[in-house]
């Protein structure tokens, strides 16, 4: 669905298993797509639940689903963007370990598509400021974003 949105950076993640368990690097300060560190947090989502739409004017988000699966959806509504109007879907998590950087100004949200709760780590470029939150929301089913969370059978 759509071409890649301008400013989005994807990093396939490598899982390194051994007899003790496994290791997976998520984001390094020497990665090509690294901008800066603001904070790190975990967000969980129950099966079938949609968490959308979010938008930041300053911060980039770096999302990685480390448990379960989510369908991460991005919409570029930025004025002057070469990819304005583009919608993209990424299926990330247990079956497709990946980090996705979502640039400021791009609407984003996800739906848990696994049978169990999904675990998403976000490493945004800015710390959360409760006095002046860089958090703007649009309802998950808003006509402002041209996307339906319904399952489309092909």
């Amino acid at each position: 669905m759509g071409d890649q949105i301008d400013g989005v950076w994807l990093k396939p993640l490598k899982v390194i298993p051994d007899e003790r368990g496994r290791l997976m690097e998520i984001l390094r300060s020497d990665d090509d797509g690294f901008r800066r560190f603001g904070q790190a947090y975990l967000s969980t989502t129950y099966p079938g639940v949609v968490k959308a739409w979010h938008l930041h004017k300053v911060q980039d988000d770096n999302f990685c689903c480390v448990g379960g699966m989510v369908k991460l959806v991005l919409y570029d509504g930025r004025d002057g963007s070469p990819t304005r109007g583009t919608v993209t879907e990424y299926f990330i998590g247990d079956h497709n370990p990946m980090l996705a950087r979502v640039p400021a100004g791009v609407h984003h949200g996800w739906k848990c598509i696994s049978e169990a709760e999904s675990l998403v780590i976000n490493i945004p470029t800015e710390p959360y400021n409760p006095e002046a939150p860089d958090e703007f929301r649009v309802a998950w089913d808003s006509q402002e974003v041209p996307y339906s969370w319904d399952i489309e059978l092909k």
Side-chain angles (χ1 to χ4, degrees):
M1 169 171 264
D3 294 326
Q4 186 164 306
I5 292 173
D6 185 51
V8 171
W9 175 66
L10 301 173
K11 177 185 176 184
L13 302 178
K14 181 179 177 186
V15 177
I16 304 167
D18 67 20
E19 64 274 3
R20 301 166 297 161
R22 57 190 166 152
L23 176 133
M24 180 177 70
E25 285 186 350
I26 297 172
L27 182 63
R28 298 171 50 103
S29 63
D30 58 354
D31 279 337
D32 289 339
F34 178 78
R35 296 284 190 254
R36 58 180 272 146
F37 176 80
Q39 69 179 60
Y41 67 86
L42 172 69
S43 177
T44 71
T45 309
Y46 294 126
V49 171
V50 173
K51 287 188 174 181
W53 294 101
H54 302 94
L55 175 78
H56 307 290
K57 294 184 179 177
V58 177
Q59 83 180 32
D60 291 354
D61 284 321
N62 291 284
F63 294 120
C64 177
C65 181
V66 297
M69 288 290 295
V70 297
K71 175 173 61 169
L72 173 66
V73 182
L74 311 180
Y75 167 65
D76 188 355
R78 299 172 291 178
D79 290 333
S81 171
T83 54
R84 180 176 170 78
T86 300
V87 175
T88 57
E89 296 176 327
Y90 302 100
F91 296 87
I92 63 174
D94 291 340
H95 302 290
N96 188 29
M98 178 181 297
L99 176 74
R101 184 188 70 223
V102 179
V106 172
H107 287 83
H108 54 279
W110 65 74
K111 179 178 184 177
C112 176
I113 58 171
S114 52
E115 292 181 9
E117 175 181 36
S118 64
L119 308 172
V120 175
I121 293 176
N122 186 17
I123 308 168
T125 56
E126 305 295 325
Y128 179 74
N129 179 352
E131 305 302 319
D134 179 28
E135 179 79 28
F136 304 90
R137 295 180 185 257
V138 175
W140 69 275
D141 59 351
S142 170
Q143 298 300 308
E144 186 176 329
V145 178
Y147 185 78
S148 171
W149 291 96
D150 295 333
I151 294 175
E152 292 183 28
L153 300 175
K154 297 177 183 181

